Amino acid sequence: MLFDKVAILGIGHIGSSLARVIRRDGLAGRLVAFDASGAHRDKAIELGIVDAATGDMGEAVGGADLVILATPVGSFADLAAAMAPHLAAGAIVTDVGSVKMAVIRDVGPYLPASVHFVPGHPIAGTEFSGPTSGFAELFQGRWCILTPPSGTDPEAVAKVVRLWESAGSMIEMMDAGHHDRVLAITSHLPHLIAYTIVGTATDLETSLQQEVVKFSASGFRDFTRIAASDPVMWRDIFLNNREAVLDVLQRFTEDLTALQRAIRWGEGEKLQELFTRTRAIRRSIIDARQA
Amino acid sequence: MLFDKVAILGIGHIGSSLARVIRRDGLAGRLVAFDASGAHRDKAIELGIVDAATGDMGEAVGGADLVILATPVGSFADLAAAMAPHLAAGAIVTDVGSVKMAVIRDVGPYLPASVHFVPGHPIAGTEFSGPTSGFAELFQGRWCILTPPSGTDPEAVAKVVRLWESAGSMIEMMDAGHHDRVLAITSHLPHLIAYTIVGTATDLETSLQQEVVKFSASGFRDFTRIAASDPVMWRDIFLNNREAVLDVLQRFTEDLTALQRAIRWGEGEKLQELFTRTRAIRRSIIDARQA
């Protein structure tokens, strides 16, 4: 048994998936969910994925040796302030947020010196939300990035590593700022663009919009899956990784403008050259078995 | 048997898939492939999906009662000029091109009055190319759009409809200009954006690029599949649907600029409102069974 008591704050898609892993592998003596939503708490109990579910922070984190933040990152500062007085000495606090600099900024200052903070980010998830959408295999074969600040207790880091290894993940250690830059291009920009194009389509006149749905298999469909992700979670990601997102977005719009010009002026070679180059990166992803 | 002799010009992904359908369902007395590539011709014979494969246009279309253009649309004018003298009276000419106005513009003028022209576009395909990548089930449950100019012989249209119904497709009749506008948003813009973002990523410094591949499951991956589509085919689509693509691209960049501004100024409600709205369209696509 890895932990005596684990508290998961937020029993949504990721939180409930992790609860299923902890339960399946018997990693905790006791597993408690904290959630502001009564419906989520009831569902978690009904699903049998936690021992208890509560809206009382002291009850949730009191005596826990592992606390996992699994709500949208915009709520982390408030959560940290609320849980700080109840944290046991020696407890490990970790999270699953998609940005890491802002999380360290928002949570770090509230934690007592006796508590170990090991920020984390599993590169996994579907477009579905809530406790019923979780499943234990979600993290299998996927990366989990940990960004412990230098000087973090190695034993605390090792225990979080073992949790994610138990979930089937591969672990990568990274500087928080570097994490935010990498994810801005691999995740945040793709989501922003998908949200935009689906938004552009929903603003079309009604008749055209129905045809967009009907003929979506021609490319559009792939964007709608991404653009169906949790709205609050993604609002918080963009607000909390602002600089890195705006930076890659600037590069993207420059490149798009260049392509727009090539189409307007009929520069076929430029188009073909780019379209040939982009094929290679798909090959790399298949080779890296991330396809 | 629907046709005495069918000629497929271009035995690539779509052409070879359609050949497999025609062979499977015994729709043609004789099935001949025309292809400029000797390797493609040899492969088509080796796969046993055609009766003959030739680089001689007269041999391919002579005596055919159905001719299917299945090469990138930029080659259609030259193909039409080359095949015109060999076409039998009463023959039907159709195509599988992703743009329809340009195809009518490029092919129409070359066809003798005795030949029926029924432009078509199956909304199907994968990111793979060439005769080995085809499969008979590609069109199953997918839409096929036909855009016959008004006054086209109804019997000729009916025979093309039966070909696609045999392939398992659902048929939609549409005006060519409207087709190009619908596809600009459902297919051409999504491809353009996917090519752009993958291009932006390939221009990053090498170390960051490797991490983009490694952590691509977080969203980027979905774009790389689209951006691995055939470069020449897509070059030709953008050059031949220029106005409609530039028009939707303009709407898209306006919307993206508005989002960029919302992120810069921390306007969370605007972001959340859009992200909530886009979720609904995914639901429509699932309901329309096109997901």
Side-chain angles (χ1 to χ4, degrees):
Chain A
M1 198 168 296
L2 202 50
F3 302 101
D4 290 328
K5 177 182 172 186
V6 173
I8 299 181
L9 313 191
I11 195 77
H13 183 59
I14 299 289
S16 75
S17 294
L18 207 44
R20 287 169 169 93
V21 169
I22 291 167
R23 171 130 302 192
R24 178 194 67 194
D25 298 347
L27 302 178
R30 184 168 165 76
L31 176 57
V32 180
F34 169 90
D35 204 298
S37 154
H40 277 197
R41 292 195 300 264
D42 293 347
K43 185 53 81 177
I45 294 292
E46 185 193 320
L47 291 167
I49 56 176
V50 292
D51 296 309
T54 175
D56 182 308
M57 186 61 87
E59 198 185 320
V61 308
D65 48 350
L66 179 70
V67 177
I68 303 167
L69 284 76
T71 56
V73 293
S75 63
F76 278 16
D78 288 345
L79 280 186
M83 74 184 180
H86 307 286
L87 288 171
I92 299 169
V93 172
T94 187
D95 78 300
V96 298
S98 302
V99 299
K100 297 270 68 77
M101 291 280 275
V103 164
I104 292 172
R105 176 199 69 200
D106 289 350
V107 175
Y110 291 103
L111 301 184
S114 63
V115 165
H116 310 291
F117 185 30
V118 185
H121 178 205
I123 311 296
T126 74
E127 70 274 30
F128 302 107
S129 309
T132 51
S133 72
F135 51 98
E137 300 73 24
L138 179 60
F139 312 107
Q140 187 69 45
R142 296 295 164 201
W143 288 97
C144 181
I145 301 175
L146 300 181
T147 65
S150 63
T152 307
D153 176 42
E155 283 209 28
V157 176
K159 288 188 93 170
V160 176
V161 166
R162 271 149 70 193
L163 167 68
W164 287 108
E165 285 178 345
S166 195
S169 294
M170 304 163 294
I171 312 296
E172 179 89 358
M173 294 291 170
M174 211 183 267
D175 166 75
H178 188 67
H179 165 279
D180 288 357
R181 205 171 150 227
V182 170
L183 270 289
I185 178 87
T186 59
S187 177
H188 307 169
L189 180 61
H191 276 80
L192 188 68
I193 288 167
Y195 278 123
T196 305
I197 191 172
V198 176
T200 303
T202 62
D203 289 338
L204 297 169
E205 54 269 53
T206 314
S207 64
L208 202 52
Q209 211 183 106
Q210 287 167 347
E211 289 178 307
V212 167
V213 168
K214 199 164 175 179
F215 305 115
S216 60
S218 50
F220 184 73
R221 177 179 64 179
D222 296 5
F223 290 71
T224 62
R225 196 189 61 75
I226 297 184
S229 302
D230 187 70
V232 173
M233 169 182 154
W234 279 98
R235 175 200 69 191
D236 286 359
I237 289 171
F238 293 120
L239 295 180
N240 286 286
N241 198 19
R242 195 178 305 199
E243 299 311 320
V245 168
L246 291 176
D247 178 58
V248 293
L249 181 53
Q250 184 58 37
R251 287 170 183 246
F252 171 81
T253 47
E254 282 168 23
D255 293 345
L256 187 61
T257 303
L259 265 190
Q260 181 173 7
R261 191 176 188 284
I263 292 172
R264 192 178 301 282
W265 292 94
E267 298 173 335
E269 331 75 61
K270 274 195 192 163
L271 299 176
Q272 191 180 341
E273 186 274 323
L274 172 68
F275 301 169
T276 305
R277 207 147 49 86
T278 53
R279 240 184 172 178
I281 216 162
R282 177 70 186 169
R283 192 70 249 163
S284 315
I285 287 173
I286 292 168
D287 292 346
R289 282 194 264 165
Q290 292 297 310
Chain B
M1 198 167 294
L2 202 50
F3 302 101
D4 290 328
K5 177 184 173 184
V6 173
I8 298 180
L9 314 191
I11 195 77
H13 183 59
I14 299 290
S16 75
S17 294
L18 207 43
R20 287 169 170 93
V21 169
I22 291 168
R23 168 130 305 191
R24 178 194 66 192
D25 298 346
L27 302 178
R30 184 169 165 74
L31 177 57
V32 179
F34 169 89
D35 205 298
S37 153
H40 277 196
R41 293 196 300 265
D42 292 348
K43 185 53 80 178
I45 293 293
E46 186 193 319
L47 292 166
I49 56 176
V50 292
D51 296 309
T54 175
D56 181 309
M57 186 61 87
E59 198 183 321
V61 307
D65 47 350
L66 179 70
V67 176
I68 303 166
L69 284 76
T71 56
V73 292
S75 64
F76 278 16
D78 288 346
L79 280 186
M83 75 184 179
H86 306 287
L87 289 171
I92 299 168
V93 172
T94 188
D95 78 299
V96 298
S98 302
V99 299
K100 297 271 64 79
M101 291 279 272
V103 164
I104 292 172
R105 175 198 70 199
D106 289 351
V107 174
Y110 290 104
L111 301 184
S114 62
V115 166
H116 310 292
F117 186 30
V118 184
H121 178 205
I123 311 295
T126 73
E127 70 273 31
F128 302 108
S129 309
T132 51
S133 73
F135 52 98
E137 299 74 25
L138 179 61
F139 311 107
Q140 187 70 45
R142 296 294 164 201
W143 289 96
C144 181
I145 300 174
L146 299 182
T147 66
S150 64
T152 306
D153 177 42
E155 285 211 26
V157 175
K159 290 188 89 170
V160 175
V161 166
R162 272 149 71 194
L163 168 68
W164 287 109
E165 285 178 345
S166 197
S169 294
M170 303 164 295
I171 312 295
E172 179 89 358
M173 294 292 169
M174 210 182 268
D175 166 75
H178 187 68
H179 166 279
D180 287 358
R181 205 170 150 228
V182 170
L183 270 289
I185 178 86
T186 59
S187 177
H188 307 170
L189 180 62
H191 276 81
L192 189 67
I193 287 166
Y195 277 124
T196 304
I197 190 173
V198 176
T200 303
T202 60
D203 288 338
L204 297 169
E205 55 271 49
T206 314
S207 63
L208 203 51
Q209 210 183 106
Q210 287 168 346
E211 289 177 306
V212 167
V213 168
K214 199 164 173 179
F215 305 114
S216 60
S218 51
F220 184 72
R221 177 179 64 180
D222 296 6
F223 290 70
T224 61
R225 195 189 61 76
I226 298 184
S229 302
D230 187 71
V232 173
M233 170 183 153
W234 279 98
R235 176 199 68 192
D236 285 0
I237 289 171
F238 293 119
L239 295 180
N240 286 286
N241 197 19
R242 194 179 306 197
E243 299 311 321
V245 168
L246 291 177
D247 179 57
V248 294
L249 182 53
Q250 184 58 37
R251 289 170 182 245
F252 171 82
T253 48
E254 280 168 23
D255 294 344
L256 187 61
T257 302
L259 266 190
Q260 180 172 7
R261 192 177 187 285
I263 292 172
R264 192 178 301 282
W265 292 95
E267 298 172 336
E269 331 74 60
K270 275 196 192 163
L271 299 176
Q272 192 181 341
E273 185 275 322
L274 172 69
F275 301 169
T276 305
R277 207 148 48 85
T278 54
R279 242 185 172 178
I281 216 162
R282 176 70 186 169
R283 190 73 248 161
S284 315
I285 288 173
I286 291 168
D287 292 345
R289 282 196 261 165
Q290 291 298 312

